Amino acid sequence: MRVLFVASEVFPLVKTGGLADVVAGLPPALTQLGMDVRVLVPGYPKVMDGLELTGKVVRLGNVLGGGAARLLYGRVGELQLLVLDAPQLYERGGGPYAGPDGRDWPDNHRRFGALCDVAAWLAGPEGGNRWRPDLIHGHDWQSGLVPAYVSLMPGRRPATVTTVHNLAYQGVFSKEVLPDLRLPWRMFDVRGLEFNGHLGFLKAGLWYSDKITTVSPTYARQIQTDTYGHGLEGLLQDRDADLHGILNGIDTEVWDPTHDPHLVARYDAAEPFAGKRANKLALQTRFGLQRDPDAPLFVVISRLVGMKGLDLLISAGTTLLRRGAQLAVLGSGESKIEQGFDAAAAHWPGRVAVRHGYDEPLAHLMQAGADAIVIPSRTEPCGLTQMYGLRYGTIPVVRRTGGLADSVIDASAHNLAHERATGVVFNDMDADALAWALERTIDLYHHKPLWHAMVRRAMQEDFSWRKSAARYVALYRSIARAE
Ligand code: ADP
Ligand code: GLC
């Protein structure tokens, strides 16, 4: 079966979060199961620079008024890519969604609408006798119009799947942009593209797709409630039979402590402690922390935004310091959160340190050198950093929500006694609950037999894509119209 992924990010070319890792990590696992997968992405400068061309270049003309465009066939590593090269839309500085000033590009509807339009075109007769997908699997709002365009195709249509990586980002635009997107006004309806009087890309995806998935079973239930549904809970309840929560996997080659080139020492689950200690000292040096292998070292590797709950850590942080622990933070985002961590670092030199910006190699060293990783998210559709932590023997301290609840087993007395615990989980969204979780983590850290057993167990968990990829294949087979 030919499967076309449509996404706005792909690791290692362009990444702002976990979406890029999933879009790069899932296709190889699907390929192992016999699927023929390609990934359609916008031709941002970083994609154009990193792409290895493998095939012909197809002229597309003026897609949705976005200027002359071409479709390029290429690859990055093992991943087969299709790139929409439309300089007027994508050849810009800044990030994939916003300019250097941090403001969303005003023509984002056209930038991602064009991507969706081209995906549908590829599956139709005009796509020619080129590689023609049987199924289109879109990711997040940027791909939301794919099934809307597909619904307009005459004759044979591809099956469609939309995956929600984060329901908080919906791609909502003024209805006035509808003509830019060449969609008929009759589709601007509550039974279609309309969302609270506006045009909703994600809403459209959820309405028109054959199947909907999201990235953990718990989040699949949560998004059907008022608290987590962002106004789409009713639609998601109606589509319950077509909505599946499939836990993300991780790329176990990119994230592998036995081979990771970014570590100063490599290690495995059988003998992790000498290696982790060497990485810890290197990490303390990098961050200017006191070089103390016995101080419990907590890390944060995250976008510093409200949903990640890190304001709670800023409030609860004194608990760590009172107990002799250290904290290293990597990330950037909202200035209030950045400043909160900066103030803590200024107040506790050698004990708290912060690096702003995006640094993939440093993220790897932190996963290896830390004792624990803190993820107190308000919402977390899946979360990948807790799984990277587990694989690197870094104990996750997480709030019980979304994929965090589905991937970390709390060190309760019962789970410890049954040798199941892999992390520390807390329920309430407040600083006291997090402080209590941090206290428990430090207590465990000082109880070496329990801690060591937990680290080894965490490292042995299987978070590879194998099982989840099989679930996607079963889903594809249930709706695909042609093999
Ligand atoms: P989200 O997608 O909501 O940001 P995830 O946990 O799914 O959360 O994915 C985050 C990804 O981004 C992980 O691969 C993590 O290592 C990476 N990451 C986050 N912040 C940084 C940073 N400042 N530098 C390097 N990698 C980062
Ligand atoms: C989103 C979510 C995150 C998830 C990632 C990959 O960015 O916020 O929880 O892990 O997508 O699915």
Side-chain angles (χ1 to χ4, degrees), residues 18-19 22 165-166 215 248 303 307-308 380-384:
L19 171 66
V22 171
H165 292 265
N166 192 339
V215 289
N248 283 335
R303 296 184 291 126
M307 78 170 255
K308 298 291 180 183
E380 195 60 77
C382 180
L384 299 176

Side-chain angles (χ1 to χ4, degrees), residues 82-234:
L82 297 177
V83 173
L84 177 57
D85 173 27
Q88 273 189 38
L89 297 177
Y90 308 126
E91 199 181 86
R92 305 176 184 183
Y97 317 115
D101 59 0
R103 289 162 59 152
D104 283 353
W105 297 113
D107 57 348
N108 270 349
H109 65 286
R110 205 192 296 269
R111 298 175 74 235
F112 297 107
L115 193 71
C116 298
D117 188 30
V118 167
W121 171 84
L122 258 168
E126 290 171 26
N129 53 5
R130 305 181 182 98
W131 187 89
R132 188 171 169 185
D134 304 303
L135 183 145
I136 308 183
H137 182 168
H139 296 267
D140 270 351
W141 73 261
Q142 293 86 354
S143 69
L145 293 187
V146 168
Y149 286 115
V150 164
S151 78
L152 295 170
M153 288 169 58
R156 174 180 166 271
R157 295 176 188 167
T160 51
V161 176
T162 295
T163 294
V164 178
H165 292 265
N166 192 339
L167 198 65
Y169 302 104
Q170 298 191 353
V172 177
F173 299 92
S174 154
K175 66 178 185 213
E176 309 308 327
V177 306
L178 202 69
D180 291 350
L181 298 167
R182 314 263 156 89
L183 287 164
W185 279 106
R186 68 177 157 77
M187 289 172 81
F188 189 74
D189 187 87
V190 64
R191 301 169 64 83
L193 308 170
E194 190 262 352
F195 183 56
N196 294 335
H198 298 283
L199 169 72
F201 269 52
L202 187 63
K203 154 73 199 297
L206 301 182
W207 178 266
Y208 289 104
S209 281
D210 295 319
K211 294 282 181 188
I212 301 165
T213 75
T214 188
V215 289
S216 70
T218 295
Y219 195 60
R221 290 190 296 276
Q222 288 177 320
I223 56 179
Q224 297 182 51
T225 67
D226 295 356
T227 316
Y228 294 92
H230 295 275
L232 288 168
E233 58 276 8

Side-chain angles (χ1 to χ4, degrees), residues 447-458:
H447 194 307
K448 282 296 182 262
L450 280 181
W451 185 263
H452 284 175
M454 200 153 89
V455 168
R456 285 210 171 87
R457 196 157 47 236

Side-chain angles (χ1 to χ4, degrees), residues 58 92 109 116 132 146 158 172 215 236 262 321 348 367 392 420 474:
V58 180
R92 305 176 184 183
H109 65 286
C116 298
R132 188 171 169 185
V146 168
V172 177
V215 289
L236 289 162
H262 305 302
L321 296 154
W348 301 91
Q367 291 284 10
Y392 281 64
R420 297 179 60 223

